[in-house]
Amino acid sequence: MTRLSRFQRFALLTASTMVITGGALLPGTAFAAPAPHAPSVPKADARWVETKDAHSGVTARLPAKSTAENVPGGHTYLAETDSGIAQFSVVNSSGAGQNDLNLALKGYLSGYNEPARSSDEKVRSTNVSTGTTADGHRTLHADITAPDGTLGRVGFIDGGDYVVQIATIGSDTQPDTVRADYKQLLDSVQLPADQPERAL
């Protein structure tokens, strides 16, 4: 599935653009190695599997067993969905508590668009919204679309010492499908401070 492996490669590129400097997320050097191709998971057998970033203690549920990759400053975890991929990344920051989530979104778009072969493959963000979690962590969420039919949703959560980035990306699929996957992924994210009963 050429299209899916392109999504996986772009997911690694976008995660690697989040290099933390002085409390702000800045675009960095792209991670050039292609992602390994994850096996296809039929819808009936798909199970949302908890994935834990051992370094930060952050957990999230992905729609299948994830492929983990090191990226500059952190780790990213990828899993196939019926329409594309789901991604969960944790990138270390200075702990200054002033991570620039708008800059993180710009870095994400830049990383995704960097290897695009045509303008039809380049994504842009729409419906950008900011807020906070129930525990007061700042958030930013945005839809992404491209003329070639790529669509998705991306979000960032400022954890202070790290930034969590999540995304669901698909192609030629219903926006509601990608949004439903995104909501399930977002609802599953647990920061260590949110998990007092769990061993880290």
Side-chain angles (χ1 to χ4, degrees), residues 101 129-134 136-141 155-158 186:
L101 301 184
S129 63
T130 59
T132 57
T133 66
H137 299 288
R138 292 183 311 113
T139 63
L140 181 147
H141 304 279
F156 303 89
I157 303 168
D158 182 358
L186 176 62

Side-chain angles (χ1 to χ4, degrees), residues 120-193:
D120 282 351
E121 292 182 351
K122 291 189 174 183
V123 295
R124 66 182 184 90
S125 61
T126 59
N127 301 321
V128 178
S129 63
T130 59
T132 57
T133 66
D135 292 324
H137 299 288
R138 292 183 311 113
T139 63
L140 181 147
H141 304 279
D143 292 328
I144 56 173
T145 59
D148 70 352
T150 298
L151 55 88
R153 189 139 173 88
V154 62
F156 303 89
I157 303 168
D158 182 358
D161 292 335
Y162 50 84
V163 172
V164 177
Q165 180 254 306
I166 61 171
T168 55
I169 305 169
S171 178
D172 301 321
T173 188
Q174 293 296 320
D176 289 348
T177 301
V178 173
R179 280 181 160 275
D181 286 344
Y182 182 84
K183 182 172 184 342
Q184 190 159 346
L185 174 55
L186 176 62
D187 289 347
S188 75
V189 174
Q190 293 279 318
L191 305 186

Side-chain angles (χ1 to χ4, degrees), residues 11-13 15-17 29-36 53-55 67-78 88-91:
L12 288 176
L13 287 167
S16 71
T17 61
T29 304
F31 183 79
D53 179 65
H55 301 277
T67 301
E69 295 287 339
N70 292 330
V71 294
H75 302 88
T76 192
Y77 306 88
L78 303 170
F88 155 58
S89 304
V90 181
V91 179

Side-chain angles (χ1 to χ4, degrees), residues 51-118:
T51 302
K52 181 175 184 177
D53 179 65
H55 301 277
S56 65
V58 177
T59 63
R61 295 182 69 80
L62 291 168
K65 186 173 178 180
S66 63
T67 301
E69 295 287 339
N70 292 330
V71 294
H75 302 88
T76 192
Y77 306 88
L78 303 170
E80 280 195 42
T81 66
D82 291 330
S83 57
I85 63 160
Q87 175 188 10
F88 155 58
S89 304
V90 181
V91 179
N92 299 326
S93 72
S94 67
Q98 296 298 316
N99 296 306
D100 188 334
L101 301 184
N102 286 301
L103 200 53
L105 175 60
K106 288 179 184 175
Y108 181 91
L109 298 174
S110 174
Y112 194 105
N113 291 332
E114 183 178 317
R117 295 183 203 147
S118 75

